[in-house]
């Protein structure tokens, strides 16, 4: 089986299906627009591979309602922008944008009318479009580690031009994990559930439950100490 994401700007699904047909493999392509899509995607993967979805299903069933109960009463909806590798904005077609919304915030990436999951902008365009952002999240990746992002954050905070963005002016520039290490929760996987708690904690403080307990619970389900 070939398992991948249905993201046409990364690869051609038609070519992938043709390749799989030549080698006699099944193809399972998934796309996640909403966090709830992760639930169905996890169920489908378990079905195709003979796995047991029940415990993970219970995890989703416990935490998604809890997150909703926490975020719905919150009147303040901070404006959030998520960035990869410099100024590459997480858009409204990316499941991470929905995670921001579920954490009781507004994802400003929805302003970009595009099917791309991540959209590059020049600095001056970003500042013009998102000067009202309350929080900026710099996301680690396989190509961008935390140390590199700390340098980018420091450059932002020291820049008079960047301080035209509210989040920078108020020092609300956060670094969150989206790489492959165990501390990264901004990923298209069940790890996004503790990631929602992490976003909520950073933008709402103690009004949102700490993310460490659901993270530990999820890793325990996966047999990870």
């Amino acid at each position: 089986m070939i398992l991948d994401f249905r993201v046409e700007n990364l690869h051609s699904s038609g070519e992938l299906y043709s390749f799989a047909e030549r080698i006699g493999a099944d193809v399972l392509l998934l796309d996640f627009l909403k966090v709830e899509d992760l639930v169905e995607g996890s169920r489908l993967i378990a079905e195709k591979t003979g796995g047991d979805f029940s415990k993970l299903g219970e995890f989703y069933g416990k935490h998604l309602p809890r997150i909703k109960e926490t975020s719905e009463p919150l009147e303040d909806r901070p404006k959030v922008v998520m960035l990869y590798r410099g100024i590459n904005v997480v858009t409204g077609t990316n499941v991470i944008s929905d995670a921001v919304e579920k954490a009781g915030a507004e994802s400003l990436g929805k302003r970009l009318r595009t099917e791309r999951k991540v959209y590059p902008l020049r600095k001056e365009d970003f500042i013009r479009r998102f000067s009202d952002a309350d929080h900026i999240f710099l996301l680690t990746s396989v190509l961008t580690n935390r140390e590199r992002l700390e340098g980018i954050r420091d450059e932002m905070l020291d820049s008079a031009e960047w301080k035209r963005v509210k989040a920078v002016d108020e020092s609300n520039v956060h670094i969150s994990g989206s790489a492959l290490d165990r501390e990264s929760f901004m990923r298209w996987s069940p790890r996004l559930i503790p990631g929602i708690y992490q976003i909520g904690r950073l933008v709402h403080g103690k009004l949102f439950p700490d993310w460490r307990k659901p993270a530990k619970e999820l890793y325990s389900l996966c047999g990870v100490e």
Side-chain angles (χ1 to χ4, degrees):
M1 174 178 288
I2 300 173
L3 176 62
D4 209 335
F5 295 115
R6 187 183 297 278
V7 183
E8 293 297 333
N9 60 295
L10 294 181
H11 57 71
S12 167
S13 58
E15 291 179 2
L16 190 57
Y17 279 117
S18 296
F19 171 72
E21 186 176 0
R22 291 198 301 272
I23 65 174
D26 290 330
V27 175
L28 180 58
L29 295 182
L30 300 171
D31 190 12
F32 305 126
L33 299 178
K34 299 287 187 181
V35 173
E36 287 82 1
D37 296 336
L38 289 169
V39 182
E40 190 54 37
S42 300
R43 190 193 319 276
L44 185 57
I45 292 170
E47 178 184 313
K48 294 289 186 180
T49 59
D52 183 1
F53 174 72
S54 59
K55 290 184 178 180
L56 184 56
E58 290 174 5
F59 177 80
Y60 284 127
K62 171 184 176 181
H63 287 286
L64 284 175
R66 184 186 185 202
I67 288 167
K68 185 177 181 180
E69 289 170 5
T70 302
S71 64
E72 277 194 343
L74 299 174
E75 295 183 3
D76 181 30
R77 299 278 160 170
K79 298 179 175 67
V80 171
V81 181
M82 296 279 197
L83 298 178
Y84 279 111
R85 296 187 300 279
I87 312 176
N88 296 280
V89 181
V90 170
T91 71
T93 63
N94 191 317
V95 67
I96 295 175
S97 183
D98 186 54
V100 170
E101 300 279 330
K102 283 183 167 53
E106 180 184 349
S107 176
L108 296 190
K110 295 193 300 183
R111 292 177 179 175
L112 299 173
R113 301 302 180 185
T114 176
E115 293 301 313
R116 298 178 66 171
K117 305 294 185 184
V118 178
Y119 196 86
L121 287 176
R122 294 180 302 173
K123 179 170 70 173
E124 53 270 29
D125 290 336
F126 179 89
I127 292 173
R128 176 174 55 83
R129 289 171 180 258
F130 301 113
S131 62
D132 59 335
D134 296 302
H135 295 267
I136 293 176
F137 283 73
L138 304 179
L139 303 180
T140 67
S141 71
V142 175
L143 300 175
T144 317
N145 60 26
R146 184 177 182 88
E147 290 72 21
R148 171 62 178 146
L149 291 183
E150 287 174 351
I152 293 173
R153 180 181 62 186
D154 291 344
E155 289 176 14
M156 284 182 170
L157 296 176
D158 289 339
S159 166
E161 187 177 11
W162 270 109
K163 284 184 179 180
R164 289 160 53 193
V165 178
K166 182 181 178 184
V168 180
D169 188 51
E170 297 181 354
S171 298
N172 288 328
V173 182
H174 316 285
I175 296 175
S176 292
S178 185
L180 298 176
D181 57 89
R182 286 179 53 186
E183 299 303 314
S184 292
F185 298 102
M186 305 304 164
R187 297 193 59 79
W188 294 18
S189 76
R191 277 192 275 178
L192 194 53
I193 299 299
I196 297 171
Y197 285 99
Q198 194 172 68
I199 297 167
R201 192 74 165 190
L202 285 168
V203 302
H204 291 294
K206 292 185 178 181
L207 293 176
F208 226 88
D210 190 17
W211 57 272
R212 292 173 181 83
K213 186 173 181 180
K216 183 176 181 181
E217 183 182 343
L218 175 62
Y219 282 142
S220 177
L221 289 178
C222 300
V224 176
E225 295 294 332

